[in-house]
Amino acid sequence: MLEKFNQLSFVIGVFFVLVSLVLIGEYFFPIDLPKIINLYTGIGMLVFGLLMIRSKA
């Protein structure tokens, strides 16, 4: 498992997943930003992050 942390694609994927979870959470608990933009951006970043984690580069 520690060798996964040395791969840049895994670290980038984890970053994108964390940011997407914040954006999706913002959709359900909005402050002032348009809600639908946060949902679509969060889903897109989540998919990209999971693809980066899954890649074997």
Side-chain angles (χ1 to χ4, degrees):
M1 181 66 183
L2 290 177
E3 64 189 37
K4 285 288 272 184
F5 288 113
N6 290 333
Q7 293 179 356
L8 188 59
S9 62
F10 180 77
V11 175
I12 292 171
V14 168
F15 171 75
F16 273 93
V17 167
L18 291 176
V19 171
S20 70
L21 291 177
V22 169
L23 287 173
I24 292 172
E26 179 80 19
Y27 174 77
F28 294 109
F29 304 105
I31 296 174
D32 283 333
L33 296 175
K35 291 171 61 170
I36 201 71
I37 293 174
N38 286 341
L39 181 64
Y40 289 153
T41 306
I43 291 172
M45 291 177 86
L46 181 65
V47 169
F48 178 74
L50 291 175
L51 288 173
M52 289 295 287
I53 289 173
R54 189 92 174 119
S55 73
K56 304 254 186 201

